[in-house]
Amino acid sequence: MDSCKVADELEELLREASQVFSDYVRSSRDPQALVIPRIDKLDLNIPEKDGMGAAGVWDDIQTICGAATNTWSERFLYKLYASPTPIGVVGEALVGLLNNNAHVFQASPIGALIEDKVGRQLAELAKFPVDTAAGLTFPGGSYSNMHALMVARNRRFPELKRGGFAGAMAGGEWRRPMIFTSAHAHYSIEKAAVAAGIGLDNVVSVPTDVAGRMDSRALRALVEQAVADGGAPFFVNATAGTTVLGAFDPIDEIAVVCGDHGLWLHVDGSWGGPLALFSSDEELGRYRVDRADSFTVNPHKLMGVPLQCSFLLLRDGLNPMREALGLGASYLFHGGSPNVLDDVGDATMGCGRRPDAIKLWLAWRYHGTLYYQRRLAAARRLALDFADMISERPPTALGCWRLVAAPQSTCVCFWFVPGQPNLVPLPAWGNATRLLCARLNSLGHVLVDYATVDLPAGPLPTFFRLPLNSPHVTRETLASILAAIEQTAQALVDEDPRCFLMDSS
């Protein structure tokens, strides 16, 4: 196929895509649109001979759009992301169009320049040293967290890069590497410990306070106990926006413990990180992360960049990562240049890399910094307003509303308690949440989630957890969801008056 035919084919496909995609978004934003559509028909067979051509493929694409979970609806309040911005969709298409590999500078020079610029800009917003700090993209926060742990491990135990644990243990005296993380931290930290050979038995879970924030005094005691027992603590993971409660660990207090014991401080801000980057001066004290050695932030969550786009920011730049993980494979990484942008792929555990920074850069250029400041401030205000709506909502004949805790970020957790709270056993609170959530979601008009956590006083009954990620969510949206929960409760009780007292777990 000659170049003109290729361009003509692409033009024709994009013209059709423009109409199909915009129609999909328009219908998805309709107030009556389902959030969980039903999959009526989808031919999954692969043609054994000739393909279906454009006509058949567009039928497939429209079927997929009609059956996909609708993240464009303001009633999608399920996980820690929402619909992308329109310019984000364009950025995703641009990355696919270029098909560049950001592992070697010459394979994606513009991607490398953009990644370097965006990484440094994010690091500056995090108040990292501007003369050293840098950042790289990874395919999700779990991979960013894993790389932070690997860099910290090999910096503290450089012998592991070549000899591994077997070699290190055979060399004589050996102290077990140990890491510390909040009991409410994301499970990717434990996954990273498995991948790094640390092992789950050497991941110390640090209890939280009543607000779900890591207890820094407990951290100090656990670190000192580990040293006394012959362990070698080297890494602490703090969280900026925990997955369930949206809590922000007291990073300044944790940094003091890390400084006293020579520990690497990583902050997992996969979800709440943008609040640390774009908050007003009044809010910044709550969210600051400037004392961290490394920091994960996922623009594909609160910032509306399409999945996936994650950055790992490093206080001391990329050289520690190169030293810890680089192999200098000469057939691929030719080196010999003082340019820090060369061969960034050698600083990671992988090889092929999408230039995902282009998506954030393009959206940032399109919207400007003020847009993100306003977007995050509005989400934060809405979370506080929603908490007030729950606290002030009058009881119904079936039950009443209770807030789990005041929101620390943009996540709001609550119960609809059947009956009178002082008369209803706590398990019934959780049972009601699970039943209501399952029935509400099954209707397709709303998609919400539930969770539970352990606090110092013990495990909480299962509660609703609504993260407010989309700028399309309004007070009216949230009021309608509370009303829908009440209506669903009435429907369940009409079917079985004792439904909330029976275990549904």
Side-chain angles (χ1 to χ4, degrees), residues 162-205:
R162 181 164 295 278
F165 284 101
M169 295 172 68
E173 182 180 351
W174 174 249
R175 295 165 65 88
R176 291 184 300 120
M178 301 180 70
I179 72 175
F180 298 77
T181 188
S182 162
H184 291 186
H186 191 264
Y187 74 91
S188 62
I189 302 303
E190 294 173 297
K191 289 270 192 178
V194 172
I198 303 300
L200 293 176
D201 288 346
N202 297 310
V203 179
V204 180
S205 178

Side-chain angles (χ1 to χ4, degrees), residues 41-59:
K41 60 183 182 68
L42 179 61
D43 183 1
L44 299 177
N45 294 315
I46 305 298
E48 295 183 3
K49 294 183 179 180
D50 292 338
M52 302 170 63
V57 165
W58 286 116
D59 285 342

Side-chain angles (χ1 to χ4, degrees), residues 98-152:
L98 299 176
N99 201 36
N100 281 190
N101 193 334
H103 60 336
V104 176
F105 182 80
Q106 291 299 332
S108 181
I110 190 63
L113 290 167
I114 288 174
E115 183 172 22
D116 177 67
K117 173 60 179 177
V118 174
R120 292 181 184 278
Q121 193 79 32
L122 291 171
E124 183 176 347
L125 289 174
K127 303 295 190 293
F128 280 12
V130 295
D131 55 337
T132 59
L136 285 182
T137 60
F138 289 94
S142 292
Y143 285 93
S144 293
N145 291 339
M146 183 185 74
H147 279 78
L149 177 62
M150 293 294 291
V151 173

Side-chain angles (χ1 to χ4, degrees), residues 398 418 487-500:
L398 294 177
Q487 293 163 7
T488 303
Q490 183 65 63
L492 288 169
V493 169
D494 288 345
E495 295 172 10
D496 181 355
R498 294 181 55 81
C499 63
F500 294 136

Side-chain angles (χ1 to χ4, degrees), residues 87-292:
I87 190 63
V89 177
V90 174
E92 182 70 41
L94 176 60
V95 172
L97 172 71
L98 299 176
N99 201 36
N100 281 190
N101 193 334
H103 60 336
V104 176
F105 182 80
Q106 291 299 332
S108 181
I110 190 63
L113 290 167
I114 288 174
E115 183 172 22
D116 177 67
K117 173 60 179 177
V118 174
R120 292 181 184 278
Q121 193 79 32
L122 291 171
E124 183 176 347
L125 289 174
K127 303 295 190 293
F128 280 12
V130 295
D131 55 337
T132 59
L136 285 182
T137 60
F138 289 94
S142 292
Y143 285 93
S144 293
N145 291 339
M146 183 185 74
H147 279 78
L149 177 62
M150 293 294 291
V151 173
R153 188 201 73 166
N154 285 6
R155 179 178 249 194
R156 173 63 176 80
F157 307 100
E159 64 273 20
L160 294 181
K161 183 176 180 180
R162 181 164 295 278
F165 284 101
M169 295 172 68
E173 182 180 351
W174 174 249
R175 295 165 65 88
R176 291 184 300 120
M178 301 180 70
I179 72 175
F180 298 77
T181 188
S182 162
H184 291 186
H186 191 264
Y187 74 91
S188 62
I189 302 303
E190 294 173 297
K191 289 270 192 178
V194 172
I198 303 300
L200 293 176
D201 288 346
N202 297 310
V203 179
V204 180
S205 178
V206 183
T208 72
D209 61 18
V210 294
R213 300 165 11 117
M214 183 192 291
D215 185 335
S216 61
R217 290 176 296 180
L219 171 65
R220 180 179 292 278
L222 288 166
V223 169
E224 292 173 352
Q225 185 63 52
V227 173
D229 291 343
F234 74 97
F235 181 91
V236 174
N237 172 72
T239 306
T242 56
T243 304
V244 176
L245 295 180
F248 272 67
D249 289 338
I251 294 170
D252 279 350
E253 297 174 17
I254 295 168
V256 173
V257 178
C258 291
D260 290 346
H261 292 274
L263 311 179
W264 182 288
L265 174 55
H266 174 65
V267 175
D268 177 11
S270 294
W271 178 49
L275 290 167
L277 303 178
F278 294 99
S279 290
S280 65
D281 292 339
E282 294 77 18
E283 287 270 316
L284 193 56
R286 176 194 300 270
Y287 301 127
R288 56 183 295 185
V289 296
D290 56 296
R291 299 183 66 178

